[in-house]
Amino acid sequence: MSDLHDLYQEVILDHNRSPRNFGTLEPARTQQGHNPLCGDRLTLYLRVEGDRIADVRFVGTGCAISKASASMMTEAVKGRTLAEAHALFDAFHEMLTADGATGPDEDLVARLGKLAVFQGVSEYPTRVKCATLAWHTLQAALVDTPAVVSTESET
Ligand code: ZN
């Protein structure tokens, strides 16, 4: 089990060191996300063509988990249809919020592929928000919400 944890950690650290799809995109929908609990901030650039995510990039600052999650999220949804992206978001969210005693469904984790490396994060509730920030930001970008999305209600 600790080998598995090391592997997960290695993947996350690699994406943190060299995030994929890091940079800006013009023209594109932009959406900002903020996790005040940790100080993670990111701006997501999204180009949708038809019902497909043609391109997606991000810039931001934050902890290793938030950056790695944004990097892997962009890899996972690029080229996918909006419905597929929504399904991935749901599966990812479900994996991270699954009951700690029983853990997430194996089929669900299998569907997530590489994104399953974040499964260990579910043991740390404050870190779950770091891992889901990019996904919440994507959701907001898909519905074209103008405001900054936050993992905490700031009103
Ligand atoms: Zn964080």
Side-chain angles (χ1 to χ4, degrees):
M1 194 62 197
S2 77
D3 285 354
L4 201 61
H5 268 119
D6 288 350
L7 173 72
Y8 286 180
Q9 210 165 30
E10 195 46 51
V11 173
I12 289 172
L13 291 177
D14 174 54
H15 276 266
N16 176 51
R17 268 194 307 264
S18 41
R20 321 303 197 260
N21 303 305
F22 194 83
T24 60
L25 189 64
E26 299 285 341
R29 291 184 197 174
T30 60
Q31 178 69 51
Q32 292 182 310
H34 182 210
N35 173 16
L37 289 184
C38 181
D40 309 316
R41 284 182 185 278
L42 69 88
T43 304
L44 194 70
Y45 299 84
L46 185 72
R47 190 178 295 157
V48 176
E49 285 169 10
D51 72 339
R52 207 168 274 279
I53 295 173
D55 207 352
V56 54
R57 289 187 208 174
F58 78 102
V59 293
T61 54
C63 66
I65 290 173
S66 72
K67 248 168 105 177
S69 180
S71 170
M72 293 180 74
M73 181 277 286
T74 56
E75 269 195 334
V77 303
K78 201 185 225 179
R80 300 265 195 156
T81 65
L82 302 186
E84 286 169 342
H86 278 295
L88 268 179
F89 170 82
D90 287 343
F92 190 76
H93 199 257
E94 202 179 320
M95 176 181 77
L96 285 178
T97 53
D99 186 328
T102 53
D105 185 74
E106 277 178 33
D107 292 345
L108 179 100
V109 174
R111 275 211 309 280
L112 283 164
K114 278 201 284 182
L115 295 169
V117 298
F118 290 99
Q119 198 182 337
V121 172
S122 65
E123 293 166 35
Y124 309 97
T126 56
R127 290 304 196 175
V128 167
K129 295 191 167 156
C130 302
T132 54
L133 175 65
W135 289 90
H136 284 296
T137 310
L138 173 71
Q139 284 289 93
L142 289 175
V143 296
D144 237 345
T145 314
V148 177
V149 293
S150 174
T151 55
E152 303 302 303
S153 164
E154 288 176 277
T155 48

